[in-house]
Amino acid sequence: MTEPLNDVLRQAHEQGEYQPLIDLIPYARIIGVRCERLGDEMIFRLPFNGDNIGNPTIPALHGGVIASFLELTAVFQLMLQQQAPTLPKIIDFSVDYMRAGLAKDTYAMCEVARQGRRVANCSVTAWQGRKREPIATARAHFLLGNG
Amino acid sequence: MTLSNEQLQGRCERFLSAQPHMRLLGLRVVAAQPYRVTIELPVQERLYSCEVNTYLHGGVLTTMVDHASSAATLCALEAFELCPTLDLRIDHMARPRQDQPLRVDAECYRVTNSVLFTRATLYQQDRTDRPVAYAIATFMRPGAGHTDPDFKALIEGEAP
């Protein structure tokens, strides 16, 4: 368990300001992940950024950036709901792409289907217009604790 | 496949350069041949977090494998088609070391009229003993005439 993570997480919960937590992960900072708390729900936002373009002809977000945004959404959701937070380690990740990610903001939410002592099972949805018209969904398993 | 390795590598390099996010990560094409490509991510200190002691966390590998698998489809088609990813699965087996570049070997192992199938291995110095991750993906062929002609010309090296 890392001390900086505990401190940052405690402060984030106290102040309702989650950016310092997100900025602990360099790739989250590079693609520009943001997070907003609505009641007890966390919604993650990826503001449009020209550096995240993969296909310049549409233009569309890079598929890898969309997948990474989904993965990071699950990582942060798990960190925020753990009692003794550690950085979840990815075991496997499976993404389905439904629509091109257009040049606008993308949103994502994660549902933790099961969180055991060692493993968590997550489903993540990313959308741009309506949530029921996702641009991509993903399933992932993470190793928790120091396992 | 009538294209030479050099022609395929040129196609993959132009494809990489055309994508802002790939330039940002500093990826490079190491080698290309029919159906196969190798892509490298140089050691990047800015992707290491000392606060939580982690390197390449949070999807960098997924981005890299998505791109490499996509490039492998370029090595499996006579004429460039921009094939969107349908799905991708990645299994992580080891934490990447921060003192070595990371490579991915991607192969398009099956081409049908509608769908392309790929598999990829991510590794550092020792490819066989300790892969970092495996991934499989599928890509949808857009059908004749559905790839933007200007973009096709750019990737084929025919741009004015």
Side-chain angles (χ1 to χ4, degrees):
Chain A
M1 197 179 312
T2 46
E3 281 306 319
L5 185 56
N6 273 335
D7 292 346
V8 170
L9 196 65
R10 197 188 59 245
Q11 274 188 11
H13 279 310
E14 280 169 11
Q15 299 169 4
E17 166 56 52
Y18 295 91
Q19 208 56 44
L21 176 73
I22 287 170
D23 288 345
L24 285 179
I25 298 188
Y27 197 53
R29 208 166 48 218
I30 288 173
I31 66 174
V33 176
R34 296 279 180 274
C35 165
E36 279 152 46
R37 180 175 191 137
L38 299 177
D40 285 337
E41 301 282 0
M42 307 299 297
I43 295 194
F44 294 84
R45 185 165 67 94
L46 187 70
F48 174 70
N49 171 353
D51 280 342
N52 289 340
I53 291 289
N55 176 347
T57 60
I58 294 180
L61 297 176
H62 193 279
V65 172
I66 296 170
S68 302
F69 177 48
L70 290 165
E71 183 176 327
L72 287 159
T73 293
V75 166
F76 293 126
Q77 180 72 46
L78 286 171
M79 279 206 278
L80 289 166
Q81 69 180 52
Q82 281 180 84
Q83 296 298 324
T86 52
L87 192 62
K89 278 188 215 143
I90 185 104
I91 302 171
D92 58 54
F93 180 85
S94 177
V95 56
D96 292 325
Y97 296 97
M98 282 93 168
R99 295 172 175 84
L102 303 176
K104 51 187 179 181
D105 292 6
T106 308
Y107 303 89
M109 283 184 82
C110 168
E111 286 193 21
V112 180
R114 173 168 154 77
Q115 184 177 338
R117 245 176 347 105
R118 300 175 63 204
V119 171
N121 174 306
C122 301
S123 304
V124 201
T125 303
W127 73 95
Q128 290 188 322
R130 296 165 194 268
K131 190 182 175 196
R132 63 169 183 271
E133 292 171 3
I135 60 165
T137 61
R139 281 187 335 105
H141 288 98
F142 290 89
L143 205 54
L144 305 173
N146 298 311
Chain B
M1 176 58 60
T2 59
L3 298 173
S4 68
N5 292 355
E6 290 71 26
Q7 286 170 311
L8 292 172
Q9 179 150 355
R11 190 190 264 180
C12 289
E13 282 168 352
R14 288 185 291 273
F15 184 57
L16 198 150
S17 309
Q19 302 185 50
H21 194 67
M22 299 298 101
R23 295 199 301 268
L24 180 79
L25 283 180
L27 295 180
R28 72 180 189 94
V29 182
V30 176
Q33 55 181 295
Y35 303 96
R36 287 167 192 268
V37 68
T38 300
I39 289 187
E40 183 176 86
L41 177 72
V43 172
Q44 294 227 16
E45 271 182 33
R46 66 186 176 130
L47 294 173
Y48 171 71
S49 166
C50 57
E51 294 98 331
V52 286
N53 184 27
T54 184
Y55 183 51
L56 303 183
H57 198 97
V60 185
L61 304 190
T62 312
T63 299
M64 194 175 163
V65 92
D66 181 80
H67 178 75
S69 304
S70 190
T73 69
L74 267 59
C75 298
L77 297 170
E78 283 292 338
F80 172 72
E81 294 173 33
L82 187 54
C83 303
T85 320
L86 272 185
D87 67 14
L88 182 147
R89 173 179 167 118
I90 176 164
D91 290 329
H92 296 263
M93 280 153 292
R95 284 174 60 155
R97 298 172 49 128
Q98 66 190 87
D99 59 349
Q100 291 172 9
L102 187 83
R103 283 192 173 188
V104 51
D105 288 353
E107 177 193 12
C108 181
Y109 66 91
R110 182 90 172 104
V111 177
T112 74
N113 287 334
S114 308
V115 180
L116 299 160
F117 299 85
T118 66
R119 57 188 163 215
T121 306
L122 286 119
Y123 58 97
Q124 290 184 303
Q125 242 163 26
D126 196 323
R127 183 183 197 283
T128 49
D129 277 10
R130 201 170 173 274
V132 169
Y134 286 135
I136 53 170
T138 52
F139 292 82
M140 195 73 204
R141 292 182 73 171
H146 281 85
T147 297
D148 181 86
D150 291 342
F151 191 59
K152 182 168 185 284
L154 175 74
I155 302 303
E156 298 288 35
E158 299 157 355

